[in-house]
Amino acid sequence: RIHENDMKGKLPSFTDAERLEEAHFDGNYFTGPIPHFGSPRLRELYIGQNALTGSIPSNIGNLVKLEILDANANKLNSTIPTSISNASALQFLDLSHNKLSGDIPRGFSNLLWLHEFRLDHNRLRGRFPDWFGTMERLEIVHLNNNLLGGDLDLSLEMGDLDDLLEFAIENNDLSGVVGEAMCDLLLDVLTADCWGSPPRVDCSCCTECF
C-alpha cells in the first residue's frame, strides 16, 4: 500500500506477482498506462486519483477474484472493455472522472454482486442500460455527466432494488419518465434532468433537478 503519497513515474508490471491480493496506488501522481496485473488472487485494485492514460487493459477480466476496481480521476481515454464483465466477483466499480467513450457494455449485467457502479463524468454514449433491474445488490448508480441519449427505459424491476440508495443520471441527453416503481424506493439521492417546462425527464420524486 503506497496510497496518498507524492509518488511519481510509471507503475511497473505486476505480471509475475502471482500472490498479490491487494494493490493500493491511489492518490499519487503516477503517469503512463495501467500495468498488467497477473495475480489470480487479486481482490482489491486501487489506482484512482493519479494521471494514468490510455486504455483499460482487457485482461482485467481475468482477475476472477477481483472485488474492487477503482480507477477514478485519471486521464483514461478508451472504451470500456466488455471483458470486465468476466470479473464476476466485482462489488465496487469506479471509473468516474475520466475520458472514457463508447457504450456501457451490456455484459455488465452479469456483475450480480455489484454494489456500487460509478461511471459518471465521462464521455459515454449510447442508450441507457435497461438491465439494472436484474442487479439486486445495487446500492449506488452514478451515470451523470455523460452523453447517454434516447429514452430512459427504467424497467418495473427497478422497484425491486431494495438496497438502492443513490441513482444519479443528470446531465445526459435522456428523455422519459421516472415512474412510481422508482419513487417508492424513497432514495437518498435521485437526480435527473427534470428542470424546465416541459422537462426532458419527468420525475416527481427527484431529490434534485438539473
Side-chain angles (χ1 to χ4, degrees):
R1 298 176 181 235
I2 53 173
H3 61 289
E4 297 182 356
N5 283 288
D6 293 326
M7 301 194 72
K8 301 178 181 179
K10 295 182 179 181
L11 288 170
S13 173
F14 292 87
T15 301
D16 298 326
E18 297 181 353
R19 296 187 178 184
L20 186 66
E21 296 184 5
E22 298 181 10
H24 293 237
F25 300 109
D26 50 307
N28 284 288
Y29 298 98
F30 290 117
T31 57
I34 298 175
H36 183 273
F37 290 87
S39 172
R41 303 183 182 186
L42 192 63
R43 294 180 292 103
E44 299 181 4
L45 178 55
Y46 289 91
I47 51 176
Q49 301 175 49
N50 281 290
L52 299 174
T53 55
S55 62
I56 299 172
S58 60
N59 54 35
I60 283 182
N62 298 334
L63 304 176
V64 295
K65 292 189 177 181
L66 191 66
E67 298 175 358
I68 296 173
L69 174 56
D70 184 356
N72 83 91
N74 279 291
K75 299 178 181 179
L76 303 174
N77 58 1
S78 67
T79 58
I80 301 175
T82 303
S83 59
I84 290 181
S85 61
N86 295 329
S88 57
L90 269 180
Q91 299 179 24
F92 179 95
L93 177 62
D94 189 352
L95 304 177
S96 64
H97 294 269
N98 279 288
K99 299 177 181 179
L100 299 172
S101 59
D103 295 346
I104 299 173
R106 188 173 185 83
F108 280 6
S109 61
N110 297 324
L111 300 176
L112 299 180
W113 291 97
L114 204 61
H115 294 278
E116 297 194 23
F117 187 66
R118 300 174 183 264
L119 300 182
D120 54 283
H121 293 87
N122 278 291
R123 299 171 181 174
L124 298 171
R125 295 180 178 272
R127 300 186 63 83
F128 190 84
D130 59 2
W131 32 260
F132 282 131
T134 65
M135 304 176 73
E136 299 178 354
R137 295 174 177 84
L138 278 178
E139 298 176 9
I140 295 176
V141 175
H142 288 184
L143 295 178
N144 52 290
N145 295 84
N146 277 291
L147 301 170
L148 300 173
D151 292 333
L152 179 60
D153 186 11
L154 299 179
S155 65
L156 291 176
E157 288 79 11
M158 292 288 294
D160 297 328
L161 301 181
D162 294 331
D163 294 333
L164 193 63
L165 300 172
E166 300 182 9
F167 192 77
I169 58 172
E170 77 274 7
N171 293 321
N172 280 288
D173 194 23
L174 298 165
S175 59
V177 178
V178 176
E180 291 185 8
M182 285 289 292
C183 290
D184 289 344
L185 293 174
L186 301 175
L187 303 182
D188 295 338
V189 174
L190 177 55
T191 55
D193 293 316
C194 48
W195 184 260
S197 181
R200 283 189 292 170
V201 175
D202 185 355
C203 181
S204 62
C205 58
C206 276
T207 58
E208 188 173 4
C209 287
F210 290 82

